[in-house]
Amino acid sequence: MRSIFLKFSVFLGFVLILNSCAFKGIHRDKGLIFTDSGINPSIPSKELNVFSPKKSKKNLPVLVFLYGGSWESGRKEIYDFLGSRMARREVVTVIADYPLSPEFQIEDMVETAAQAVLWTKNNIENYGGNPDQIFISGHSAGAHLAAVLATNNEYFEEMGIGNPIQGGILIDPAGLDMNWFLSDYPKEGEKYIKTFTKDPEVWKAYSPIYFLESQKIPLLILEGERTYPSIEVSIDRFLAKAQEENVEVDYEFYRHKKHIPMITQFFWTGSKGYDDVLGFIKKEVGEARKSTSLKP
């Protein structure tokens, strides 16, 4: 009897492993050009990768992710692990490239990121995603780009659509108040001038903290305890301003985490990061459905 039980336990464990998240099949559609020269011919051609579950499920929530790298480095292929793991959790994930400094400046980066969201809105149904459940996320500089698009509608209005973002997920975000940082710490901020120019009006235009007054899109901020001081202070300033403007911002604090480990934690499927990100997406999708059901 004991032998039978042990064999059954081994078999059951094997079945559970095969059916676990790590073994769920996914599609990886790579190298898809998303930039449109008709919108802005000065932006170079850029590509994105889409990760989706193999099972033919429809209307899944969508995550558009923008990587960090001080606005001057990075590439989408480095984050295949994030796309794959999110897709196995039934979130269709888009990871996009964008033009980098010093060849390009912040305006080009934001406009390119907006085009990635537009492409997602127009095409993600073909990959099982719901175009009405688009979340934008990023780490560090990528979180800054995500925050700009989640707080300022003008980039989508210029493309003739309303802001399609349902929620923003900012992982240890840089640049939430770039105007403050570059104004008060010119020596430390000197290396970012090639990205943000020498014009204080540009610094302010690309500081999400100044667009919270009309902010309607819910945000989630994940902050590492041991992040860079400039990020720590700018997050504090942002949260204080959000409270002043009655803006919905969820916040999660990660003890002992440094800046880079805030994104590398997503290598591990059981990380707090996945719990928080997926929990936020689930909550906001539920809120949207509830709101829709209440309409006459």
Side-chain angles (χ1 to χ4, degrees):
M1 186 71 178
R2 177 180 174 83
S3 175
I4 295 174
F5 176 76
L6 287 173
K7 288 180 180 179
F8 177 74
S9 297
V10 171
F11 172 76
L12 181 60
F14 182 70
V15 170
L16 289 172
I17 290 172
L18 287 178
N19 284 282
S20 70
C21 179
F23 285 86
K24 288 182 179 178
I26 59 172
H27 289 291
R28 298 177 179 87
D29 295 276
K30 295 190 171 185
L32 306 174
I33 296 174
F34 68 88
T35 43
D36 183 347
S37 60
I39 297 176
N40 186 342
S42 69
I43 290 177
S45 178
K46 288 296 175 183
E47 299 176 349
L48 54 75
N49 297 335
V50 180
F51 300 80
S52 56
K54 274 189 176 179
K55 291 185 178 179
S56 56
K57 292 189 176 182
K58 304 293 183 183
N59 294 318
L60 294 174
V62 181
L63 184 74
V64 178
F65 181 81
L66 304 167
Y67 48 77
S70 298
W71 300 276
E72 65 180 5
S73 66
R75 56 190 178 89
K76 61 186 181 303
E77 288 77 16
I78 296 174
Y79 298 87
D80 281 2
F81 71 92
L82 179 65
S84 297
R85 285 161 175 74
M86 290 298 292
R88 290 189 178 109
R89 288 163 171 77
E90 300 187 345
V91 176
V92 177
T93 302
V94 176
I95 300 179
D97 276 327
Y98 56 91
L100 300 171
S101 184
E103 290 80 13
F104 296 91
Q105 295 176 328
I106 190 63
E107 180 181 6
D108 304 305
M109 301 175 196
V110 172
E111 289 188 14
T112 304
Q115 286 198 35
V117 176
L118 176 64
W119 182 96
T120 302
K121 176 71 174 176
N122 292 337
N123 295 278
I124 206 63
E125 278 187 296
N126 299 327
Y127 303 89
N130 187 333
D132 296 323
Q133 295 179 4
I134 296 174
F135 293 81
I136 191 164
S137 181
H139 170 246
S140 193
H144 166 259
L145 301 180
V148 171
L149 294 180
T151 56
N152 191 339
N153 298 329
E154 70 173 74
Y155 308 100
F156 298 108
E157 291 171 353
E158 289 174 358
M159 294 188 290
I161 65 169
N163 195 327
I165 296 171
Q166 186 174 346
I169 300 167
L170 314 179
I171 304 169
D172 227 36
L176 294 180
D177 191 352
M178 208 64 187
N179 182 54
W180 155 77
F181 177 65
L182 293 175
S183 298
D184 288 14
Y185 299 93
K187 186 175 181 180
E188 293 85 346
E190 186 176 357
K191 61 182 178 180
Y192 300 116
I193 292 299
K194 58 190 175 184
T195 302
F196 287 86
T197 78
K198 295 181 179 180
D199 186 354
E201 291 301 314
V202 173
W203 306 348
K204 191 170 184 178
Y206 291 96
S207 293
I209 193 171
Y210 295 102
F211 297 89
L212 287 173
E213 183 177 355
S214 57
Q215 160 70 4
K216 301 298 180 184
I217 296 171
L219 300 172
L220 167 65
I221 293 178
L222 311 181
E223 180 186 0
E225 181 181 21
R226 298 168 65 188
T227 189
Y228 301 124
S230 60
I231 290 179
E232 179 183 0
V233 175
S234 66
I235 289 176
D236 288 345
R237 292 171 62 88
F238 189 85
L239 291 174
K241 183 65 174 176
Q243 185 176 20
E244 179 184 324
E245 299 292 347
N246 294 314
V247 173
E248 178 187 349
V249 180
D250 290 0
Y251 172 80
E252 293 293 338
F253 186 69
Y254 288 66
R255 294 197 177 280
H256 312 303
K257 276 279 191 290
K258 294 183 179 180
H259 183 63
I260 299 303
M262 283 298 293
I263 188 62
T264 57
Q265 68 172 306
F266 290 92
F267 276 117
W268 292 275
T269 57
S271 73
K272 172 176 164 57
Y274 282 113
D275 291 341
D276 291 335
V277 170
L278 294 168
F280 178 77
I281 291 174
K282 182 178 180 180
K283 182 190 76 168
E284 295 305 329
V285 168
E287 290 291 334
R289 288 174 179 166
K290 187 188 302 181
S291 176
T292 302
S293 67
L294 292 175
K295 291 182 179 179

